[in-house]
Amino acid sequence: MALVEDNADFDAANGIIDSETPPHTDLAAQYKRSFAYYTFRVRLPSTLATIANSLANKDELLPTYGVDAASDIDQTAAAVLELRSNILKNGPLEPFNDTEADVATWNAFLEKLDKDKRTYFSACWLYAECYMYRKLWSIFSLSRLAGFDYFRKQKQTAAQLSLDAMVAVANATRRSERNLSTFQQLVKLNLWGNRCDLSITSGKQVKPTGDAFDQVAELDSNLLVDGTQAIWQSLDSADGNGTVEIVFDNAGYELYTDLILAEYIIDKGLAQKVRFNAKAIPWFISDVRAEDFHWILQFLSGQASPVLSELGKKLKRFVDEGKFELAPLEHFWTSPYEFYRMAEVQPALHERLSKAQLIIFKGDLNYRKLLGDYSWHDTESFVTCLRGFKPSNLCTLRTIKADLVCGLPAGISEQLFAKNKEWMLTGEYGLIQFASK
């Protein structure tokens, strides 16, 4: 996590504290030994530079936006680089001035922030990072490139690089039994699919290799909390007429494993419907939008591999038959709010989720929103850290890529820190945590 340069002047001018995040405080980039600090000094500036550079290749954009959009593309690239500069200068989180549907929600949130917590390094990490991705969307929405998904190509490339792994998983899952053991394997497959996260690598591709189910077995010792039996019980003991809500994380291979798990849930009568919750805007590089969901079904259906083609067509039928459903566009998922505030901020969404048999939250950002970016003690219970958010049975499948965690058995984190001080940032360790309604 070493920085390219150690900027003592920046740290002094911006009140940076040379410590880890103190217990029971918000995670924030003002703590120099935190992953949040590294995120705003290195990771996000790198992401923004990549986007600005990608706009230099106008040949891909002009056929869609017209030859007279060239100067607008240049201005958009300059605005992205200005955003990068503002982050590196610890600039303010200013109100939005676009016309997107969530502007009032965002601006009301920003207005309520403490005045000394309205910069990238002083604000809670969760708020500031979400703000940056929303600001990026604002830049594009105010240009002739409005609606352009600047992460689409990376997401689609990630899927294409995963074809061999997809074929192997499809072949291994065409004949399966309704039992705890099989369900556990598929949930764990879905968990470890989360390691292919472009936001952690600042967009650098991660190709899944090897036999996925062999890896599930090999990684079992890295699964620090395994709530799969309780998750199974919540579904197996029900009448099978309920709905499972999946709150998406990454596109590409992880989305594929989401669909494999969802297929099993429908095929084995564990639920009548699986409803998928996608992001409203390009988000944390690889997060799934509605377009990505439809694209992967088409992508699978069009493959030369018979097993993938048949799978894609089957999943499309599930959509047509209402067994798979894409939830209506919901801006709460791309808001700065933690989930314990959902009932207050977006009561209709909370009410819908309360009717689910099970809610599956995927990935690291959803985990951060479940807990809030808050320095919990690693042994505090998952239920405590949810702060009252329990609309229904819920679980989280998360490979650990940020320095917050809860619900660990006593002594585990100490052992892991002794092996590797940065174990919480690598994605090598996973959690499957469950809370009953």
Side-chain angles (χ1 to χ4, degrees):
M1 213 165 68
L3 296 175
V4 175
E5 59 179 326
D6 188 15
N7 193 329
D9 291 341
F10 172 87
D11 293 349
N14 292 283
I16 303 300
I17 301 165
D18 190 9
S19 76
E20 297 172 345
T21 311
H24 283 201
T25 56
D26 287 339
L27 303 183
Q30 73 183 89
Y31 301 107
K32 188 167 185 174
R33 300 181 203 174
S34 69
F35 193 45
Y37 181 87
Y38 180 72
T39 293
F40 284 103
R41 291 285 285 130
V42 177
R43 290 175 57 234
L44 296 183
S46 173
T47 295
L48 293 171
T50 298
I51 293 169
N53 290 337
S54 73
L55 294 174
N57 185 8
K58 298 188 185 71
D59 291 344
E60 293 184 12
L61 295 169
L62 294 180
T64 301
Y65 297 98
V67 292
D68 52 348
S71 63
D72 211 49
I73 294 170
D74 289 337
Q75 290 169 14
T76 302
V80 171
L81 290 176
E82 183 181 0
L83 172 58
R84 179 181 184 274
S85 176
N86 286 340
I87 289 173
L88 290 171
K89 293 187 294 189
N90 190 25
L93 309 185
E94 297 175 329
F96 292 97
N97 62 351
D98 56 57
T99 59
E100 298 294 296
D102 60 345
V103 162
T105 299
W106 262 101
N107 286 346
F109 175 86
L110 293 169
E111 181 63 30
K112 290 177 183 175
L113 283 183
D114 291 343
K115 289 196 167 40
D116 62 347
K117 300 287 186 183
R118 292 190 194 175
T119 67
Y120 288 101
F121 284 75
S122 65
C124 171
W125 175 22
L126 177 66
Y127 304 160
E129 190 166 12
C130 289
Y131 176 89
M132 189 223 78
Y133 281 100
R134 178 58 180 81
K135 185 68 174 176
L136 187 58
W137 181 245
S138 183
I139 289 170
F140 280 81
S141 71
L142 291 167
S143 76
R144 296 183 64 160
L145 302 179
F148 174 61
D149 185 348
Y150 28 86
F151 297 135
R152 180 185 298 129
K153 188 173 182 180
Q154 289 164 285
K155 289 183 282 188
Q156 293 180 358
T157 299
Q160 290 156 350
L161 285 172
S162 305
L163 270 174
D164 290 346
M166 289 179 180
V167 170
V169 167
N171 282 325
T173 54
R174 292 310 83 197
R175 295 180 182 178
S176 57
E177 301 297 323
R178 174 176 164 150
N179 55 41
L180 170 62
S181 174
T182 304
F183 180 76
Q184 286 178 312
Q185 273 205 315
L186 293 177
V187 172
K188 291 175 183 179
L189 175 78
N190 196 207
L191 162 72
W192 296 117
N194 180 240
R195 292 193 300 175
C196 303
D197 183 343
L198 297 178
S199 72
I200 291 298
T201 63
S202 298
K204 296 182 178 65
Q205 296 291 346
V206 181
K207 180 177 180 177
T209 56
D211 184 285
F213 289 103
D214 285 348
Q215 290 173 356
V216 164
E218 291 165 7
L219 288 165
D220 232 31
S221 60
N222 288 18
L223 183 56
L224 305 183
V225 178
D226 182 0
T228 50
Q229 188 160 351
I231 299 168
W232 166 258
Q233 182 63 23
S234 75
L235 293 174
D236 187 49
S237 62
D239 61 11
N241 293 322
T243 296
V244 172
E245 299 265 5
I246 296 180
V247 183
F248 278 142
D249 189 37
N250 297 308
Y253 179 68
E254 183 178 351
L255 170 55
Y256 175 74
T257 63
D258 293 336
L259 297 172
I260 291 290
L261 176 60
E263 176 198 29
Y264 181 86
I265 288 169
I266 296 297
D267 278 348
K268 305 310 174 189
L270 294 168
Q272 195 170 50
K273 181 193 295 282
V274 177
R275 183 181 292 119
F276 301 100
N277 295 267
K279 302 299 191 299
I281 66 175
W283 198 245
F284 283 66
I285 301 183
S286 48
D287 279 30
V288 179
R289 300 178 72 207
E291 294 87 342
D292 303 316
F293 174 80
H294 293 303
W295 180 86
I296 199 165
L297 297 184
Q298 193 64 37
F299 173 72
L300 294 172
S301 301
Q303 290 306 309
S305 162
V307 70
L308 283 188
S309 178
E310 286 305 310
L311 174 61
K313 291 169 185 172
K314 177 183 178 181
L315 299 183
K316 279 186 171 183
R317 286 198 304 274
F318 278 8
V319 174
D320 294 339
E321 295 164 359
K323 296 173 182 176
F324 279 7
E325 180 180 296
L326 197 60
L329 193 70
E330 176 54 69
H331 286 277
F332 182 83
W333 304 124
T334 50
S335 78
Y337 288 108
E338 304 92 338
F339 293 158
Y340 77 89
R341 301 168 77 174
M342 184 189 293
E344 171 197 351
V345 173
Q346 187 56 287
L349 176 59
H350 191 273
E351 175 65 19
R352 168 161 68 80
L353 294 181
S354 72
K355 296 174 182 175
Q357 183 64 35
L358 175 70
I359 313 162
I360 302 174
F361 289 97
K362 295 297 310 299
D364 201 69
L365 179 60
N366 280 323
Y367 191 84
R368 288 168 59 189
K369 288 198 166 191
L370 281 166
L371 270 61
D373 262 4
Y374 190 73
S375 183
W376 298 103
H377 193 276
D378 55 71
T379 60
E380 287 183 270
S381 78
F382 182 49
V383 170
T384 296
C385 297
L386 290 174
R387 293 190 254 193
F389 178 72
K390 248 191 328 181
S392 186
N393 299 317
L394 66 86
C395 66
T396 178
L397 279 55
R398 179 234 184 173
T399 56
I400 303 171
K401 301 170 189 163
D403 43 1
L404 80 160
V405 73
C406 73
L408 296 187
I412 291 291
S413 67
E414 289 82 359
Q415 293 172 24
L416 294 171
F417 276 119
K419 290 181 185 177
N420 178 3
K421 289 188 293 185
E422 296 182 358
W423 71 269
M424 299 181 81
L425 311 179
T426 62
E428 294 174 23
Y429 296 92
L431 303 166
I432 300 173
Q433 292 174 307
F434 175 80
S436 60
K437 61 183 176 183

